Amino acid sequence: MIGRLNHVAIAVPDLEAASAQYRDTLGANVGAPQDEPDHGVTVVFIELPNTKIELLYPLGENSPIKSFLEKNPSGGIHHICYEVEDIKAAAEQLRNQGARVLGSGEPKIGAHGKPVIFLHPKDFTGTLVELEQV
Ligand code: CO
């Protein structure tokens, strides 16, 4: 069902410092910060030859990243995203196998303008998994 690794998302307490580290210390191709009010995050996309890294920083009071950073003050891997061809079929198949799809269970439009779902970390070895239709 899953295809390529689309991105790894890392929550960071200081977006500017993290961007500078990836750009200057690691020599990566780092984009400009983008506000994603629908998702409660400001995102910096980092293009690598085989995947992307997304730095996530809280935007607004109800940001899903806020409590994560309270528990992980120096930041940490927040989720990984795999590509799927058909998000609705993937969601149904996973539900039938007992996995929990977060939120309403219906795909939402993600940070790349494509439909995504999130799977409960307790069902996937402690890792929040995002699936994105490509
Ligand atoms: Co993501």
Side-chain angles (χ1 to χ4, degrees), residues 7 54 79 130:
H7 61 269
E54 294 183 8
H79 66 267
E130 178 180 23

Side-chain angles (χ1 to χ4, degrees), residues 20-30:
Q21 183 176 59
Y22 268 86
R23 187 179 51 241
D24 303 332
T25 309
L26 296 174
N29 184 4
V30 176

